[in-house]
Amino acid sequence: MNSLQKMLIVLPVIIVSSVAPSVTLSATPSETATPVLASKPFTSENLERVFNAKLIEQFSPGLSVAVVADGNIILSKGFGKTQIGGLLAVTPDTPFYIASSTKAFTAHISSDIARSKPHSMTPPIMTTPVQKLMPTLRFHPNVNVEQVTLQSLLNHTHGISGDGPVTYRTAFTGEFQSAQDLLALLPHHLASAAGNSFEYSNLGPVLAGYILEHLTGKAWQDLVDEKVFKPLNMHNSANRLTQLDPQKIAQGHEFAGDAFVISKAKKIDKNMHAAGGTYSSANDLAAWLGVHLQQGRWQGKTIFPSELIADAWKQTASQNRTVGGMKRVGWSLGWDIAEYKGQKIYLRPGGFTGYSAHISMMPERGVGVVVLSNGGQLSGMMNQHIVDVIYASLLSEADHDARRIEAENKLQANYAKMIQAQLAEKQKRAARQQPLPLPMANYAGTFENELGTLECQIKDNQLILKMGIAEADTEVFKAEEHAFRTELLGRGQILTYVMKDGKVTGLNLGEKFFAKKL
């Protein structure tokens, strides 16, 4: 367990999933003709019955889904509202924040740029140490810089820990003035304990985005616009929040014991990054899946060279983790490669405070599924359920209707358990609210370390934390230890003040020490 994992304290979430059977992976899809499901043509009517609208509303304020098969979008549908208590309905064109699903776009533009470079370049751009591509980059002395290539950054084998200031400042706080200022903090990232084995984090794709900017002279966001969004007419997708109508965006929510509340996590242009900086819609992402399933063609036109699709499907690293019944065994440059329902599946999910996204495809079956929701962890459970029942229907699994009803009953049971668990947690947390040893004003101040500047402010006798654009409330955790609980950086953390001679000299946020600024 790394220090980031140790500092995260989260509420229990019960998730229902089926275990995928083990299968032998076949040839890379690009080596075979794109197959079609021959059993019957699929229409929206065939799939409509798998959706339980009341159950979806229970698990998420809003949800959008799209299904691709046989070279067409065969279903796209919205449920609920963009905001709890609001009037604007979610449609298949509603933009949702899709977080780490962004990594597939960064991989695509990397492949495109690498292929546009002279073929005589030795070694090729993907396997050239990045310090030769961008000589200003500096790393911690214990990082093996010869192993840090564009490919290793994209497939999470670069050997650098993701626990550090570049990750936090790009994903949460936006606390940097320029790319140069941000990358100057890279030496604070130690070598990974996993060495050059696969270790998933945001750091690699974030750095890849800046290297692409250096090589092309274009911002990463503009490269995605130019090479992905515009060719596919993805009009409801953006890597800058300011390009979208804020009134039409699905707002992120979290489930607070017995009701959804709007998430306090903020996204602005500054913390929209190459590992998780995209808003997109179900229809737009269906086109993104469709062009892969059609070997670079979509709606009768050639959009991308087939070689780029081959790059997306080629395994470049191995992994071993099972999530939602999908046994992830490999990684290409931007997609997980997994075994699921006896099939080979490519997926790139995403999650952030208030949002959950699922994007996947079975190239050898010619089908793909998009599910986007704005109810945080709870709606992530619904996402997986919808994915399961759609693929069960598309693959004509035996008794899939009966199994769907059984799964819905399990979801309802787990929903009840989750409410009980969260209400019990609320009571437990309420009991912790004991008088503090010092007057509240003593806990105010400015604290600093390599992660950034942490402002501790007192408002209405409550401690409020701010780091860049990130802001969070606190509650007493252990009064006698001057300890508070907060969710400043995406998940629950414990903040403990460090005292000397009865005065505050610093604080620990998880295992990270911040010195008080005098």
Side-chain angles (χ1 to χ4, degrees):
M1 181 178 290
N2 62 33
S3 58
L4 175 60
Q5 291 170 322
K6 290 178 182 176
M7 67 193 282
L8 299 179
I9 298 178
V10 298
L11 294 177
V13 176
I14 304 165
I15 299 178
V16 176
S17 64
S18 57
V19 178
S22 177
V23 298
T24 301
L25 298 183
S26 57
T28 300
S30 59
E31 298 169 359
T32 64
T34 303
V36 229
L37 292 171
S39 57
K40 60 180 177 179
F42 287 95
T43 65
S44 60
E45 290 78 13
N46 292 336
L47 289 172
E48 287 279 356
R49 57 190 171 80
V50 307
F51 300 117
N52 183 330
K54 289 185 178 180
L55 191 63
I56 290 171
E57 182 180 352
Q58 188 175 337
F59 276 75
S60 188
L63 184 143
S64 189
V65 60
V67 180
V68 181
D70 301 341
N72 297 292
I73 300 176
I74 62 170
L75 179 140
S76 61
K77 190 175 180 65
F79 298 86
K81 307 296 182 182
T82 59
Q83 181 174 320
I84 198 75
L87 299 176
L88 189 62
V90 168
T91 77
D93 293 318
T94 298
F96 286 73
Y97 182 62
I98 65 170
S100 288
S101 301
T102 301
K103 292 179 174 67
F105 297 134
T106 301
H108 176 89
I109 63 174
S110 299
S111 295
D112 193 12
I113 291 168
R115 286 185 174 277
S116 70
K117 295 296 179 182
H119 292 291
S120 60
M121 183 175 179
T122 304
I125 185 174
M126 279 290 186
T127 54
T128 298
V130 294
Q131 279 192 324
K132 294 182 180 178
L133 300 177
M134 191 173 178
T136 55
L137 288 176
R138 294 292 181 268
F139 297 93
H140 190 277
N142 67 2
V143 170
N144 184 347
V145 295
E146 291 300 309
Q147 298 295 318
V148 185
T149 65
L150 197 55
Q151 176 170 293
S152 71
L153 290 175
L154 292 167
N155 70 12
H156 308 284
T157 63
H158 46 76
I160 311 170
S161 171
D163 183 9
V166 175
T167 300
Y168 286 103
R169 295 185 190 221
T170 51
F172 297 105
T173 70
E175 197 178 1
F176 57 95
Q177 295 300 315
S178 66
Q180 182 178 0
D181 292 338
L182 179 69
L183 295 176
L185 298 168
L186 190 55
H188 289 286
H189 287 256
L190 305 177
S192 168
N196 291 103
S197 297
F198 179 90
E199 184 177 56
Y200 182 87
S201 76
N202 277 351
L203 183 65
V206 167
L207 293 184
Y210 284 113
I211 292 167
L212 296 179
E213 290 185 4
H214 174 76
L215 293 175
T216 64
K218 297 179 180 180
W220 161 81
Q221 295 93 330
D222 294 332
L223 291 170
V224 177
D225 279 343
E226 173 190 325
K227 296 180 178 294
V228 180
F229 295 161
K230 289 180 180 178
L232 283 170
N233 294 317
M234 296 172 67
H235 299 303
N236 295 297
S237 300
N239 299 114
R240 293 184 178 95
L241 198 52
T242 50
Q243 294 176 326
L244 298 169
D245 183 345
Q247 301 302 316
K248 296 181 180 179
I249 292 170
Q251 301 299 318
H253 300 74
E254 285 295 336
F255 192 68
D258 55 358
F260 284 104
V261 295
I262 294 178
S263 169
K264 292 185 178 180
K266 296 178 183 178
K267 279 293 173 182
I268 61 173
D269 287 358
K270 208 170 187 182
N271 66 348
M272 299 274 281
H273 52 92
T278 304
Y279 278 79
S280 191
S281 70
N283 276 340
D284 281 1
L285 292 168
W288 172 238
L289 289 180
V291 77
H292 282 79
L293 294 169
Q294 295 294 303
Q295 307 268 338
R297 292 179 60 81
W298 182 242
Q299 296 181 337
K301 298 179 181 179
T302 298
I303 307 297
F304 304 133
S306 60
E307 292 84 2
L308 287 184
I309 307 305
D311 288 346
W313 286 341
K314 183 179 180 181
Q315 180 170 329
T316 64
S318 298
Q319 59 170 313
N320 182 18
R321 51 188 181 141
T322 299
V323 183
M326 297 184 179
K327 183 181 179 182
R328 303 184 195 185
V329 297
W331 183 275
S332 59
L333 292 175
W335 297 85
D336 292 280
I337 305 170
E339 301 167 359
Y340 171 68
K341 292 184 178 292
Q343 307 293 326
K344 184 177 185 178
I345 189 168
Y346 289 75
L347 66 146
R348 184 77 301 270
F352 186 75
T353 305
Y355 293 97
S356 183
H358 176 95
I359 304 168
S360 66
M361 57 185 165
M362 292 180 181
E364 294 172 5
R365 291 285 188 162
V367 296
V369 176
V370 177
V371 188
L372 310 175
S373 55
N374 64 341
Q377 287 186 320
L378 187 61
S379 65
M381 296 168 64
M382 177 52 61
N383 284 19
Q384 187 60 54
H385 170 71
I386 289 176
V387 169
D388 289 339
V389 298
I390 286 177
Y391 277 119
S393 180
L394 291 173
L395 298 172
S396 299
E397 286 186 345
D399 302 321
H400 61 82
D401 279 333
R403 292 166 66 183
R404 169 177 55 83
I405 294 170
E406 180 183 359
E408 288 179 359
N409 291 335
K410 288 182 179 180
L411 277 173
Q412 287 282 19
N414 277 336
Y415 179 83
K417 290 178 182 178
M418 188 177 198
I419 288 180
Q420 291 176 356
Q422 290 204 349
L423 290 177
E425 179 69 15
K426 272 190 171 183
Q427 293 175 352
K428 182 179 179 181
R429 286 159 61 172
R432 295 176 184 149
Q433 307 312 299
Q434 301 296 321
L436 293 157
L438 299 174
M440 186 62 78
N442 291 50
Y443 299 103
T446 301
F447 302 82
E448 294 179 323
N449 74 358
E450 72 277 5
L451 296 186
T453 301
L454 175 58
E455 297 282 350
C456 296
Q457 303 175 356
I458 308 302
K459 183 178 180 181
D460 298 328
N461 205 39
Q462 184 179 10
L463 178 65
I464 307 295
L465 306 182
K466 293 184 179 181
M467 282 186 73
I469 66 165
E471 180 176 343
D473 298 335
T474 67
E475 60 186 44
V476 176
F477 183 70
K478 288 185 178 180
E480 69 278 10
E481 296 180 10
H482 310 280
F484 298 78
R485 184 186 183 278
T486 184
E487 296 183 6
L488 180 66
L489 299 177
R491 290 187 178 181
Q493 300 165 275
I494 301 304
L495 179 150
T496 306
Y497 282 85
V498 177
M499 314 295 294
K500 184 177 181 180
D501 299 328
K503 295 183 179 180
V504 174
T505 59
L507 59 81
N508 291 306
L509 185 59
E511 294 183 351
K512 298 291 186 180
F513 176 74
F514 288 72
K516 187 171 185 179
K517 186 177 180 181
L518 301 177

